[in-house]
Amino acid sequence: MTPQSATITLSGHKHRYIDTGGSNHPLLLLHGISCSLDIYEQVVPLLTGSFRVLAIDLLGFGMSDKPKRAPYSLKLYASLIREFLEQTDAVGCHAVGHSMGGKYALATALLYPGSFSRLVVSNTDGFTELPGWVRGISWPGIRQVLKKLMSSQTVASKAFASAFHAPERVNRSSFKKNLLMSRNRESIDTVMQLNRNYKQLDMAQTGLRSRLWELDIPILILWGDHDQYISPKVAAIAHRELPGSELFMFENCGHAPMLEYPRQFSEVVAGFLLNH
């Protein structure tokens, strides 16, 4: 189970976070779209022996504020992450970013050099173009219909289960908790807003993807070989574009290895971070 959460204010917005404390090197965990810090609840207890683990609900998700008119962008999220590190005395920490969180971690590393000493990106966003039909779901009319569908138990359950190669492997309590977070109507509004602001959230169109060569920290790329959300083929692209990176592929695994294989995920992450 994740430790007791607290609230921190970043640029005027309240955010839920956890901090396991201790004197070990800090490790920041960043979640993906439609998720919360609870996506990591199975690995936090396994990592606390080696790290001071911090995790945060990113703006618009989980139990953090969900402002409808926030200027959602890579710059905004990077600035909030940096502010969080400064307030928690964790600048220079290790970081793990999953899916959308991986993209935000990369943006933070580029826009605020020195924020991270080592980086792990799992099934990361940022290396593919957003299809036109995805942007279209945020159009008026379509938006309200899809919001109702995406928040329904039946549709949300099927969509969430597709994140895993074998959903039955996932701890049932964690499955239900994370499913509930993904169904939150205000979080779905945030997803729509992100789609509308895609140019400010795209690594290529913001010019950040062409700057990845500037990164001078050890980077590990993790992927599931049966990821239906972001194709495993993208892992090779990320590996090629992230200088000096290492790649580890989880077998018989979908989009969220921290829930399907929490112990192996923790061992691979800790092994990489501690051995560099």
Side-chain angles (χ1 to χ4, degrees):
M1 298 295 291
T2 52
Q4 185 69 36
S5 63
T7 300
I8 190 169
T9 300
L10 306 173
S11 296
H13 301 294
K14 292 182 179 179
H15 290 68
R16 177 179 69 138
Y17 78 103
I18 60 169
D19 184 350
T20 62
S23 59
N24 291 338
H25 197 88
L27 169 61
L28 173 65
L29 307 178
L30 298 171
H31 65 81
I33 198 166
S34 298
C35 295
S36 70
L37 61 83
D38 298 297
I39 197 81
Y40 290 106
E41 75 165 7
Q42 293 298 310
V43 302
V44 168
L46 301 173
L47 292 169
T48 51
S50 301
F51 306 98
R52 169 196 169 199
V53 180
L54 300 102
I56 185 171
D57 283 347
L58 293 166
L59 188 68
F61 297 100
M63 296 182 186
S64 292
D65 283 349
K66 303 173 182 64
K68 292 185 177 180
R69 290 180 172 80
Y72 291 105
S73 65
L74 291 179
K75 287 184 178 180
L76 174 62
Y77 278 113
S79 69
L80 292 171
I81 291 168
R82 176 67 183 205
E83 186 178 352
F84 177 69
L85 296 180
E86 291 173 350
Q87 288 200 37
T88 56
D89 193 26
V91 173
C93 68
H94 304 322
V96 176
H98 174 242
S99 194
M100 176 189 74
K103 177 174 67 174
Y104 294 165
L106 291 169
T108 304
L110 287 168
L111 295 172
Y112 298 93
S115 293
F116 308 128
S117 55
R118 297 169 181 82
L119 181 59
V120 179
V121 289
S122 175
N123 305 71
T124 186
D125 188 11
F127 295 89
T128 57
E129 292 185 11
L130 191 66
W133 67 267
V134 175
R135 298 197 297 270
I137 68 175
S138 63
W139 293 346
I142 297 177
R143 181 166 67 240
Q144 295 307 315
V145 173
L146 285 176
K147 182 178 178 180
K148 184 176 181 180
L149 285 173
M150 292 167 67
S151 61
S152 73
Q153 174 70 26
T154 302
V155 174
S157 295
K158 290 182 178 179
F160 188 65
S162 67
F164 310 103
H165 178 56
E168 66 276 6
R169 258 198 301 260
V170 181
N171 176 278
R172 298 319 296 168
S173 176
S174 289
F175 187 98
K176 292 178 180 178
K177 181 186 294 186
N178 283 281
L179 171 60
L180 187 62
M181 287 290 182
S182 73
R183 293 179 58 201
N184 180 277
R185 284 177 166 262
E186 289 182 300
S187 293
I188 294 172
D189 283 334
T190 302
V191 174
M192 302 292 184
Q193 185 75 356
L194 296 185
N195 287 340
R196 291 195 292 275
N197 289 6
Y198 78 95
K199 290 183 179 180
Q200 290 74 42
L201 289 154
D202 184 84
M203 289 289 287
Q205 296 198 47
T206 56
L208 291 180
R209 188 171 174 183
S210 64
R211 292 178 51 194
L212 290 173
W213 61 271
E214 298 176 18
L215 295 175
D216 189 25
I217 55 175
I219 300 175
L220 172 64
I221 302 165
L222 305 178
W223 226 280
D225 64 352
H226 285 74
D227 189 342
Q228 297 185 62
Y229 283 10
I230 305 179
S231 171
K233 295 179 181 178
V234 178
I237 299 174
H239 187 29
R240 184 170 64 246
E241 295 188 21
L242 292 172
S245 61
E246 300 178 24
L247 173 61
F248 182 90
M249 193 73 69
F250 289 90
E251 296 181 359
N252 300 311
C253 182
H255 187 64
M258 68 288 297
L259 281 178
E260 265 194 278
Y261 294 101
R263 185 163 296 280
Q264 185 184 14
F265 180 90
S266 302
E267 291 173 351
V268 172
V269 167
F272 174 78
L273 297 177
L274 296 175
N275 292 331
H276 267 268

